[in-house]
Amino acid sequence: MKKVTAIYPGSFDPPTNGHLDLIERGSKIFDELVVAILRNSEKTPLFSLGERRRMLEELTSNFKNVSVDTFDGLTVDYAARVKASAVLRGIRALSDYEYELQMALMNRKLRPDLETVFMMPAEQYSYLSSRLVREVARLGGDISGLVPEIVEQRLKEKLDPAYKLSNRRVKAGRS
Ligand code: PNS
């Protein structure tokens, strides 16, 4: 039987529990799932491409059929390169729908045989976005439970250099 490969494209700046929830769901219905991080976004990211890639690789290492890659250019061209026949995207609330519909239909216009599959993350993540996580973390709010622990750690290190230093000291047995 033909194997179905899907790509899950996005910025993942940073990866959240909502992304992870969707990756887990996607890994159950597709034979292969490629988490594809967009390389040349117009936005200036908080985490470098390498940092995001490393975090996602660590977070998805227990899924045997999930890999992580980066891409630039059109999503449809990348999908063709990795022989994917589907694009996985998450829809949280109605507000996501219009943008996602536009994107899915544009992608269909560009490559009619590529299907977009929408999945809903668990409801506890329905308000969660990378943008809000960045903002709350930057302003010192509690983001535990919203992002995986390693992401929480990296966010603290990135936003508070003193945290990184004190953490290193603790690890080295100094106070
Ligand atoms: O996580 P995001 O930022 O919502 O992901 C958006 C992404 C990467 C899926 C979208 O910007 C994208 O596909 N960019 C690649 C360029 C492209 O194909 N543009 C036309 C899309 S209709």
Side-chain angles (χ1 to χ4, degrees), residues 52-134:
R52 283 176 281 159
R53 185 182 192 141
R54 281 191 292 280
M55 283 190 276
L56 279 165
E57 277 171 351
E58 197 172 329
L59 294 167
T60 58
S61 60
N62 52 331
F63 299 109
K64 293 290 155 273
N65 61 341
V66 175
S67 56
V68 180
D69 197 5
T70 62
F71 77 106
D72 55 14
L74 287 173
T75 293
V76 292
D77 290 341
Y78 174 74
R81 278 204 296 284
V82 296
K83 299 189 171 43
S85 49
V87 177
L88 173 65
R89 290 286 292 172
I91 292 225
R92 293 160 299 190
L94 199 57
S95 49
D96 281 339
Y97 179 72
E98 214 164 317
Y99 169 63
E100 293 297 334
L101 178 75
Q102 263 188 329
M103 224 166 29
L105 293 180
M106 179 59 83
N107 283 339
R108 180 180 282 168
K109 162 89 178 67
L110 296 169
R111 202 187 137 198
D113 59 337
L114 183 68
E115 288 298 338
T116 298
V117 175
F118 293 121
M119 293 185 88
M120 286 162 291
E123 57 268 31
Q124 70 261 35
Y125 305 132
S126 59
Y127 62 94
L128 187 55
S129 72
S130 295
R131 186 183 62 78
L132 278 184
V133 165
R134 288 197 304 272

